[in-house]
Structures are given as structure tokens and as C-alpha cells.
Amino acid sequence: EPEVTQTPSHQVTQMGQEVILRCVPISNHLYFYWYRQILGQKVEFLVSFYNNEISEKSEIFDDQFSVERPDGSNFTLKIRSTKLEDSAMYFCASSGTPGLSGYTFGSGTRLTVV
Amino acid sequence: QKEVEQNSGPLSVPEGAIASLNCTYSDRVSQSFFWYRQYSGKSPELIMSIYSNGDKEDGRFTAQLNKASQYVSLLIRDSQPSDSATYLCAVRGGSQGNLIFGKGTKLSVKP
């Protein structure tokens, strides 16, 4: 079964550093998403990406965050100048037809900011 | 602010029983509804999607939707210990299909 692949599985970074989280969506999917889940809290939408541009973003996705699809397969989330409160699981998801089918989530990257 | 509400539980049922999980949502125009299962430390895994009023069955799982009451439920028949997980209700929130999740209901199935 097709999978969404995320790397790394766990990243520890110092406060103020930049991190890049990587995702390889399912190859024939066109819609890509980043979500995050702070420990013990609900899964929160960050951003959606379609046709090589951001299509929707939440209030969480401020200037500290950016996304990119640098080539035909990778989808990245960059967090500039990380803060302690950025510590969370970050999930990438992709969909062929949003709303008509469920999303496939990657296994996640656990980001720990120290 | 669009909200999805779930009872956080924990919900404890004996093995073989029916587990009933409930969810309400605030946006009356929502059209797509999903149930995900999440094991501790893992990513959400899609169990069911439902778009029309009524019941939808898939194996031991039945999703029920009542748009007039803004209510979605998930029934798990013949519950197994391996069903022990947190069940997340999600509603499509945006034009590009982003999901709004509830906090999840933790289910524990006792052998």
C-alpha cells in the first residue's frame, strides 16, 4: 500500500535554530498538508499546498514557517528560529481528492526543542 | 471558529462488546466526516469516511451521520484489545480539504 514517508523520525534542536522536516507524499496525490500535535493535545492543521503554492494556512502558520516542494517528490516544512513551544509531532499528509477520500498521514517527525 | 467535540474518555469496554464513540461538530455546512485511529506515539490511521446521512458499515466498524443534529458516531462491534487506541473524529474544514480534529476519545478494551 502506498505510504507517505517522513524524515527524520525524531529531531532534537536548540532553541533559535532552523529545522527542515521532510516528506515524500504518495506519488499520484496532488494535495499536501502539514499538521502538528503537541503532546496530549489534538491534531492541528498548519498548511495545505496545491499546484506548487500554499492554498490555505492556519493562524499557527506564521512567518516562522514555510513550505516548499523543491522537486517532484519532496515536500518540506521549514521552521526558522525554533521556540520551545514548537516541540510537537509534525505529520505530513497527502490526498488525491480532498474531502472525497481520507488523507494518508506519514509516520511523523517528533521535534524536540531544547 | 469551527469546532469538533468528543468525549475524551477513557471509554472502557470488555472484549467482545460494542464500543460507541460520539462526535459533534459546529459547522452546519460540513460535508465530509472521518474517523481516525491513533495508537500512542503513532500517526492517525483512517478507519472510515462518511458523507451522507445514515449508516455506513465496513467490517466491524459502523459510522453514523446525522447532519440535522450535527452528530457523527462510530460503533465498533466485537471489540478486541487491539482496538485500544485513541479515536479521532475529523471534519473537513476548508476549501482545500484541511481537516479539523476533535481531541479524541481514548478507548480501552479489556480482555
Side-chain angles (χ1 to χ4, degrees):
Chain A
E1 185 157 335
E3 288 186 344
V4 175
T5 305
Q6 287 187 246
T7 55
S9 58
H10 191 189
Q11 177 143 9
V12 181
T13 188
Q14 293 218 327
M15 191 169 52
Q17 295 297 304
E18 174 183 286
V19 296
I20 297 176
L21 309 183
R22 292 183 165 79
C23 169
V24 179
I26 293 173
S27 61
N28 62 348
H29 283 183
L30 300 177
Y31 298 84
F32 314 117
Y33 309 85
W34 284 101
Y35 289 80
R36 79 172 185 190
Q37 187 175 32
I38 295 171
L39 186 63
Q41 298 189 24
K42 61 182 174 182
V43 177
E44 300 174 291
F45 168 71
L46 293 178
V47 65
S48 59
F49 192 87
Y50 171 72
N51 201 24
N52 285 321
E53 61 182 20
I54 290 174
S55 47
E56 205 156 356
K57 59 184 180 179
S58 72
E59 293 176 351
I60 302 169
F61 194 89
D62 59 21
D63 292 343
Q64 177 194 13
F65 294 91
S66 62
V67 290
E68 195 176 38
R69 190 158 162 82
D71 53 43
S73 59
N74 289 285
F75 179 49
T76 63
L77 174 68
K78 182 190 290 186
I79 310 175
R80 288 182 280 273
S81 189
T82 49
K83 304 189 281 271
L84 293 176
E85 54 264 39
D86 294 327
S87 295
M89 280 288 283
Y90 287 81
F91 296 112
C92 174
S94 69
S95 172
T97 312
L100 297 181
S101 61
Y103 302 3
T104 301
F105 280 81
S107 56
T109 293
R110 179 172 297 284
L111 176 65
T112 303
V113 182
V114 297
Chain B
Q1 181 80 354
K2 298 172 184 174
E3 298 283 345
V4 176
E5 300 288 342
Q6 293 182 256
N7 188 326
S8 61
L11 173 66
S12 184
V13 300
E15 184 174 355
I18 295 175
S20 177
L21 305 161
N22 305 313
C23 169
T24 59
Y25 58 95
S26 64
D27 188 359
R28 183 168 290 277
V29 301
S30 296
Q31 297 293 321
S32 307
F33 307 88
F34 305 88
W35 283 100
Y36 283 84
R37 177 174 62 198
Q38 187 177 33
Y39 293 110
S40 181
K42 302 296 184 183
S43 61
E45 174 192 4
L46 180 67
I47 300 174
M48 296 276 294
S49 58
I50 187 166
Y51 312 107
S52 304
N53 277 328
D55 295 359
K56 180 181 177 183
E57 186 173 319
D58 184 0
R60 295 187 296 112
F61 300 97
T62 299
Q64 300 173 316
L65 174 60
N66 183 325
K67 291 184 179 179
S69 301
Q70 295 175 237
Y71 177 88
V72 193
S73 66
L74 180 70
L75 299 178
I76 306 174
R77 288 181 298 281
D78 188 23
S79 296
Q80 301 296 310
S82 58
D83 294 328
S84 297
T86 297
Y87 288 80
L88 309 178
C89 175
V91 176
R92 180 186 175 193
S95 60
Q96 293 299 317
N98 59 284
L99 298 178
I100 299 171
F101 282 86
K103 288 185 177 180
T105 297
K106 188 170 184 178
L107 173 66
S108 177
V109 181
K110 304 292 187 185

